[in-house]
Amino acid sequence: MGLTGAGLLNAQVDIPGPERLSHVEGIVVSPVGRPAVEVEVTLTVSDKVVYQTKTDKSGEFRFAPARGDYTLRVARTEYAPAMREIVVTDEVVTALARKKLYVILGPGACADACSAVLTSKKEFDREIRENLKR
């Protein structure tokens, strides 16, 4: 069975929009869930670093409140880098959700696309379980 031109027209790529947050904090881990320690995490605007921090011994990071549109970047280490567009806002619905970022770094040989930036603890746990099976 071959792929037809019509089939290509119906193909969809799921590109997530910016994640809306009331604050920027999270955890960075290896593919199997170990904390990524002393990893640089930045918030950029037009590829310029405007905020920068490093993960602590638990792999956690936190930025002071900073409203605006940013690209969250986690630097390449022995693992692949991670990136996600975010919008930091003081909307009531966003503040009530109080989402945390869960970053699972991909294998070092990968390009940017093999790291995951999630806001669901349930999804995070599921991804780690799947990675441990491999």
Side-chain angles (χ1 to χ4, degrees), residues 69-106:
D69 297 13
Y70 302 98
T71 301
L72 172 87
R73 296 180 189 272
V74 178
R76 177 178 288 280
T77 58
E78 63 189 280
Y79 302 106
M83 183 176 88
R84 181 73 193 261
E85 299 299 321
I86 63 172
V87 175
V88 184
T89 178
D90 57 4
E91 296 168 341
V92 173
V93 69
T94 305
L96 291 174
R98 187 121 178 117
K99 295 178 187 173
K100 182 175 180 177
L101 295 167
Y102 299 93
V103 181
I104 304 171
L105 300 174

Side-chain angles (χ1 to χ4, degrees), residues 45-73:
V45 175
S46 300
D47 291 325
K48 293 181 182 163
V49 175
V50 291
Y51 296 99
Q52 179 177 351
T53 191
K54 288 196 175 208
T55 58
D56 64 16
K57 64 183 178 187
S58 301
E60 295 184 6
F61 66 92
R62 179 174 289 108
F63 288 97
R67 307 290 174 243
D69 297 13
Y70 302 98
T71 301
L72 172 87
R73 296 180 189 272

Side-chain angles (χ1 to χ4, degrees), residues 32-50:
V32 294
R34 290 190 193 101
V37 179
E38 292 292 312
V39 175
E40 182 179 83
V41 182
T42 59
L43 296 180
T44 64
V45 175
S46 300
D47 291 325
K48 293 181 182 163
V49 175
V50 291

Side-chain angles (χ1 to χ4, degrees), residues 115-133:
S115 293
V117 180
L118 311 165
T119 56
S120 164
K121 176 75 164 105
K122 187 175 181 178
E123 268 186 68
F124 170 76
D125 290 340
R126 183 179 51 79
E127 288 286 330
I128 295 297
R129 280 193 305 276
E130 287 298 316
N131 288 344
L132 288 169
K133 289 180 187 177

